Amino acid sequence: SQTIHQWPATLVQPVGSPLSLECTVEGTSNPNLYWYRQAAGRGLQLLFYSVGIGQISSEVPQNLSASRPQDRQFILSSKKLLLSDSGFYLCAWSGTGVMNTEAFFGQGTRLTVV
Amino acid sequence: KQEVTQIPAALSVPEGENLVLNCSFTDSAIYNLQWFRQDPGKGLTSLLLIQSSQREQTSGRLNASLDKSSGRSTLYIAASQPGDSATYLCAVGGSGNQFYFGTGTSLTVIP
């Protein structure tokens, strides 16, 4: 069966510090991978998605970046965090193909920038 | 761009009641629609997936319907229980391998 791992679960970082959140998927090949952010009282905002190694699409211009160094690994990074980067970050995967398949989410990372 | 709306934003019901959560979307050119449950501080748990060619899906006490032409989906929960308390999110799967989310309905089932 497929599983998705996301870490860390919680993170407190000072303004201006770097960020690296990691997500890995097991039990499937060539998944579509996604990073979402959920701010308090707001819906899920798609940040990045990837349909393959090295292929990253950005939805919202910001100081965050994403990379996919391996087929089932998706990393969210920042060189210098802003207060506005605080939120709940969720990684997700879905199957490939023309028609979207079911999406599965990790348990999320609560990021607080202080 | 696809916009997804969920009504109501919050709902409180006594235990045992049947209830309906609503989801509407602006672009009917969708591939599927998925309902999720989110407990506080947790990730999303998939409840039901409806493909665009389907009209409904059932899992236990949950039944989700899809009317693509009118841009609507409903999640019906039968005989609600306190353990059903959570935020329920709907997501529309569109072109470009993307999912568009509503802002959710926060459900509280009172014992």
Side-chain angles (χ1 to χ4, degrees):
Chain A
S1 64
Q2 302 90 357
T3 56
I4 179 169
H5 302 281
Q6 186 180 344
W7 68 92
T10 59
L11 192 59
V12 180
Q13 292 284 97
V15 169
S17 64
L19 173 73
S20 181
L21 303 181
E22 188 163 345
C23 172
T24 60
V25 179
E26 297 177 356
T28 188
S29 298
N30 196 29
N32 293 332
L33 296 172
Y34 308 84
W35 278 111
Y36 286 88
R37 178 169 61 199
Q38 187 177 38
R42 300 179 63 182
L44 271 76
Q45 179 186 36
L46 178 63
L47 302 175
F48 302 94
Y49 70 95
S50 171
V51 298
I53 295 175
Q55 301 180 60
I56 309 295
S57 297
S58 174
E59 287 299 297
V60 182
Q62 56 208 329
N63 69 322
L64 299 173
S65 63
S67 62
R68 185 171 177 172
Q70 300 181 43
D71 180 44
R72 290 167 290 178
Q73 183 185 29
F74 205 24
I75 298 172
L76 181 68
S77 304
S78 174
K79 292 182 179 179
K80 290 185 177 181
L81 285 169
L82 305 173
L83 286 174
S84 59
D85 291 324
S86 293
F88 192 51
Y89 289 82
L90 290 156
C91 179
W93 76 272
S94 72
T96 56
V98 174
M99 292 181 64
N100 288 353
T101 62
E102 191 170 3
F104 298 93
F105 281 77
Q107 287 302 298
T109 296
R110 172 72 59 190
L111 172 65
T112 304
V113 182
V114 296
Chain B
K1 182 180 177 181
Q2 180 75 267
E3 293 184 4
V4 182
T5 304
Q6 290 188 247
I7 294 173
L11 182 64
S12 183
V13 300
E15 181 178 1
E17 273 203 5
N18 303 324
L19 59 100
V20 175
L21 307 180
N22 297 291
C23 173
S24 61
F25 46 95
T26 54
D27 186 351
S28 61
I30 66 170
Y31 289 132
N32 57 37
L33 187 143
Q34 195 168 354
W35 282 94
F36 294 89
R37 168 187 173 135
Q38 185 178 29
D39 293 291
K42 301 295 184 181
L44 277 65
T45 299
S46 179
L47 297 174
L48 289 165
L49 172 73
I50 310 176
Q51 298 293 352
S52 61
S53 58
Q54 298 175 322
R55 293 198 59 91
E56 67 176 337
Q57 281 286 347
T58 298
S59 176
R61 295 183 292 110
L62 305 180
N63 176 276
S65 68
L66 175 63
D67 184 343
K68 200 171 66 166
S69 61
S70 67
R72 294 179 181 178
S73 175
T74 62
L75 179 66
Y76 175 84
I77 302 177
S80 59
Q81 303 171 357
D84 294 331
S85 298
T87 295
Y88 291 80
L89 295 153
C90 71
V92 170
S95 61
N97 300 291
Q98 296 192 32
F99 297 91
Y100 299 91
F101 280 84
T103 52
T105 294
S106 177
L107 172 66
T108 302
V109 180
I110 304 168

